Amino acid sequence: MLVLAGVMVAGLRAHMVKAPVLGFRYYGPVQGRIVKIDRSMSDKLRLTLDKVVLERMDPARTPAKLRVALHGKGDFIAYEPGQTVILTAHLSPPNGPVEPGGFDFQRKAWFDGLGAVGYTRTPVLLLEGAEAGRAGLFIHRLRMRISAGIQTMLGGDVGAFAAAIMTGDRSGMRRQVLDELRASNLAHLLAISGLHMGLLTAFVFGALRYGLALIPVINLRWPVKKIAAGLSLVAAAAYLLLSGGNIATERAFIMVAVMLVAVMLGRRALTLRAVALAAVIVLIRRPEALTGPGFQMSFAATTALVAVFGMLRHWDGASVPAPLRPVLTVMLSSFVAGMATAPVAAAHFNQIAHYGLLANVLTVPLMGVLVMPAAVLAAFLYPLGLSWIGLGMMRWGILWILGVAEWVAGLEGALSHVLTPMPVALPLIALGGLLLFLWRGPMRFAGVAVMLAGFFLWSQTQRPVLLISQSGGLVGLVGDQGRALSKPRGDGFAARNWLENDGEGALPQMQAFDRAGFTGAKGARRFVIGGQAGVHLVGKGAGERLAAECISGRWIVTTAKYDGQGGCQMFDANALKQTGAVAVYADAEGPRVVTAKGMAGERLWNSPTPRRKD
């Protein structure tokens, strides 16, 4: 019944968020209201707009929201939500996966309400100022003012880190620092998620409970524990608003809220039932979160921690010296959370931080006893103009965290890369973990066998010998040196994802281009697959050469359109528009072709949109 209810909720959600999607490439004037400001993977400022107006476009078919990256030089206005702006932009529909079974941006855009994405190289002009009196605008301005103040007061990477954990504004973080945090498995300290929400509410709850207990007139007449839980819930809600209210923070707030409400109702807070209730609430609100790494990592870590510490509830720890018990607790919690989230992180991000436990043991305690309490103190002292006291305390803790991240990331073998597993591997590992933690009796250990089966299937994952991008502009062929690419530049997003999914990390596209596999001149790169010849035709004159190249048994990939006849295996612009990205596997019977749209099936987000007639 729960599975059927989940399917119904997911279907309802998919239809509720339905909005027009751009059906063609558009270049021209765009008008819209700013609803979100963030940065792209290339560190370019991006604006998400609603109330969109496009030239000669029927309002009923105009995307409700679109996102534009700003590639122009200079900003002529100070962007903030609520402003109505005008610009000239290149827009296109959200793209599908860069390879069959890969991350589906079309799906994510559908649930985010994005009907088009693109970029502009021209100035963005202000048409109307932000609406006055809007609560969201007030909170955003407050966040940005606090973030600017923190970065000015602390300066450099320390100020950027403090602003990120207090307001969610990462605009000041340098790419090198972000890479060091990821390589040392400390990037979770930067994201406002379960750790931050838990540390903040735990500190507020403890301070209020013990503080009120010192006042006899309150302690003897009122339920101090429940009052502390209620006020901590208010603090958590304020932190949710101040941090920008992204999905990860919202998920963490729901988990904390369930536990605090359990305290107010006189129930045990840290139970697997509380974790399950929080998961149900999150999935009812956003069922699409189930397949995302944020949901999977959050609940994997929380489930494992609650289960393990539940098993140790009756252990008094008498065999461990008292000074070492906090250290043992931190080490155990870091180890359990790290082991629970490692398969998820490796499957989604294709990397494993080998010294993550060491880095977390050296930093998480300081985050809990110094950085987050100092952040709460700074927030309380902010109205009095004394926030510098708390920020000054934070400085030393953040310096230590950044120093540990730099040191651990620099260790030999700190980071390794793994290939993307076959689709069934990660669900099997998760199922095995749930059996191990949730079942009762000796049969629970059958979960270990299920997990091992998942890891075995992961090790047997077969990568495609040939990959073709949706545009037809890039081809990747596996050879003795790894995957070789047909071009040194262009289709960079697809190239980066292919190499990461192969387990090669951030290998430069130029280096993959230099590998053996392709021969011939630029614009007509030749290759061999399954004993058959192939050619990648791009650039001027590609269309005229198709008829001559299309002979029996030859594979042809091109960005041009081909309407002729021939016995070749043709992947032209017309075919790729229907199939999406293409993967070719080397089976015993010969090459097997798999398409992105064929694997995804017919979905609301990948159904074709009619083109504009004019």
Side-chain angles (χ1 to χ4, degrees):
M1 289 176 63
L2 286 173
V3 171
L4 290 175
V7 172
M8 293 176 64
V9 169
L12 179 63
R13 166 77 173 167
H15 283 84
M16 287 178 62
V17 299
K18 184 176 181 179
V21 177
L22 193 66
F24 56 94
R25 291 188 175 275
Y26 172 91
Y27 174 71
V30 177
Q31 175 183 317
R33 183 183 64 176
I34 300 175
V35 294
K36 184 179 179 182
I37 304 169
D38 63 352
R39 288 190 175 274
S40 65
M41 292 184 64
S42 58
D43 208 31
K44 298 293 184 182
L45 198 66
R46 293 190 305 193
L47 304 179
T48 301
L49 309 177
D50 70 354
K51 295 187 176 180
V52 177
V53 179
L54 302 180
E55 185 182 31
R56 294 187 298 149
M57 177 72 76
D58 183 354
R61 295 171 58 190
T62 301
K65 288 198 298 185
L66 57 83
R67 191 171 66 196
V68 181
L70 309 185
H71 290 185
K73 296 181 179 179
D75 295 324
F76 295 90
I77 59 175
Y79 303 109
E80 62 180 8
Q83 293 174 333
T84 299
V85 295
I86 52 176
L87 59 147
T88 301
H90 297 262
L91 302 177
S92 63
N95 287 325
V98 296
E99 66 174 85
F103 172 72
D104 193 346
F105 178 68
Q106 268 186 331
R107 177 183 179 275
K108 185 178 187 304
W110 178 269
F111 287 102
D112 289 344
L114 290 176
V117 294
Y119 65 93
T120 179
R121 299 187 186 278
T122 61
V124 178
L125 304 178
L126 179 65
L127 184 64
E128 295 180 5
E131 301 174 15
R134 294 176 64 244
L137 177 59
F138 171 77
I139 293 172
H140 175 79
R141 285 174 172 168
L142 178 62
R143 286 178 60 226
M144 293 299 101
R145 186 161 62 245
I146 293 174
S147 176
I150 292 171
Q151 294 186 59
T152 299
M153 190 171 296
L154 294 179
D157 296 331
V158 175
F161 188 99
I165 64 173
M166 293 183 71
T167 68
D169 177 23
R170 297 193 190 183
S171 60
M173 295 297 300
R174 293 189 298 123
R175 178 62 56 183
Q176 179 182 347
V177 176
L178 289 172
D179 291 340
E180 290 171 351
L181 289 169
R182 294 190 182 104
S184 58
N185 198 26
L186 294 179
H188 67 95
L189 298 181
L190 197 63
I192 300 179
S193 54
L195 176 67
H196 300 75
M197 191 69 73
L199 290 176
L200 180 134
T201 51
F203 175 75
V204 173
F205 177 78
L208 289 172
R209 184 180 181 186
Y210 292 111
L212 294 174
L214 296 176
I215 306 174
V217 68
I218 297 178
N219 187 27
L220 297 176
R221 291 179 172 84
W222 299 92
V224 171
K225 183 178 179 180
K226 296 181 180 180
I227 293 174
L231 294 176
S232 298
L233 184 58
V234 174
Y239 191 36
L240 173 66
L241 293 175
L242 187 63
S243 64
N246 61 47
I247 295 176
T249 314
E250 181 182 288
R251 182 174 54 248
F253 171 76
I254 291 174
M255 295 178 68
V256 166
V258 168
M259 295 180 183
L260 291 175
V261 170
V263 172
M264 289 188 282
L265 296 177
R267 305 296 296 271
R268 197 150 47 93
L270 294 174
T271 68
L272 289 173
R273 290 185 178 88
V275 177
L277 180 59
V280 169
I281 294 173
V282 171
L283 290 177
I284 288 175
R285 293 197 71 254
R286 299 179 184 271
E288 69 274 13
L290 178 64
T291 58
F295 177 91
Q296 294 174 5
M297 294 179 71
S298 291
F299 284 98
T302 307
T303 302
L305 287 169
V306 172
V308 170
F309 280 93
M311 297 173 189
L312 300 176
R313 186 178 297 116
H314 302 296
W315 179 58
D316 58 6
S319 59
V320 180
L324 295 180
R325 291 174 193 170
V327 177
L328 178 63
T329 301
V330 171
M331 291 185 64
L332 180 60
S333 60
S334 296
F335 175 77
V336 170
M339 291 297 291
T341 58
V344 182
H348 287 282
F349 305 120
N350 305 102
Q351 62 182 31
I352 299 175
H354 294 286
Y355 302 118
L357 176 60
L358 172 64
N360 278 273
V361 168
L362 292 175
T363 56
V364 170
L366 200 64
M367 193 80 178
V369 301
L370 177 60
V371 176
M372 291 309 296
V376 175
L377 179 63
F380 276 112
L381 295 178
Y382 177 75
L384 303 177
L386 299 175
S387 59
W388 57 269
I389 298 175
L391 295 177
M393 296 168 59
M394 289 180 68
R395 171 187 291 276
W396 302 108
I398 294 174
L399 281 172
W400 173 262
I401 291 171
L402 295 178
V404 169
E406 182 180 5
W407 171 62
V408 171
L411 294 176
E412 184 177 357
L415 193 67
S416 64
H417 302 279
V418 297
L419 56 77
T420 299
M422 64 176 67
V424 73
L426 189 60
L428 272 179
I429 294 171
L431 176 61
L434 290 174
L435 288 174
L436 182 63
F437 288 133
L438 301 182
W439 208 258
R440 292 293 178 264
M443 284 300 295
R444 70 189 307 168
F445 294 104
V448 177
V450 177
M451 294 176 68
L452 291 176
F455 283 113
F456 174 76
L457 290 176
W458 193 332
S459 68
Q460 300 301 306
T461 299
Q462 179 188 14
R463 290 290 296 155
V465 295
L466 186 73
L467 284 168
I468 303 171
S469 67
Q470 183 175 358
S471 67
L474 186 69
V475 177
L477 179 69
V478 171
D480 295 336
Q481 299 174 314
R483 189 172 302 278
L485 299 179
S486 60
K487 293 195 307 184
R489 290 180 298 276
D491 284 88
F493 182 74
R496 181 172 64 250
N497 278 268
W498 290 352
L499 295 171
E500 287 178 354
N501 292 340
D502 287 339
E504 298 197 73
L507 184 74
Q509 184 172 346
M510 176 64 77
Q511 188 172 334
F513 170 75
D514 290 335
R515 289 172 170 170
F518 290 92
T519 59
K522 176 182 177 182
R525 302 283 286 166
R526 300 188 180 274
F527 58 93
V528 177
I529 177 172
Q532 296 177 323
V535 61
H536 183 210
L537 295 174
V538 296
K540 295 181 178 180
E544 288 77 9
R545 300 182 59 179
L546 288 177
E549 294 282 0
C550 188
I551 61 177
S552 179
R554 179 170 292 176
W555 292 60
I556 296 182
V557 181
T558 180
T559 53
K561 296 180 180 180
Y562 182 62
D563 299 321
Q565 301 294 323
C568 62
Q569 179 76 46
M570 177 68 69
F571 298 95
D572 68 336
N574 291 325
L576 292 172
K577 183 178 179 180
Q578 301 300 319
T579 64
V582 174
V584 182
Y585 292 86
D587 291 347
E589 298 79 13
R592 173 170 56 91
V593 178
V594 179
T595 66
K597 291 188 177 179
M599 179 172 284
E602 290 294 330
R603 306 292 178 185
L604 290 171
W605 47 86
N606 64 16
S607 58
T609 304
R611 291 179 57 89
R612 188 179 65 178
K613 292 182 179 180
D614 57 348

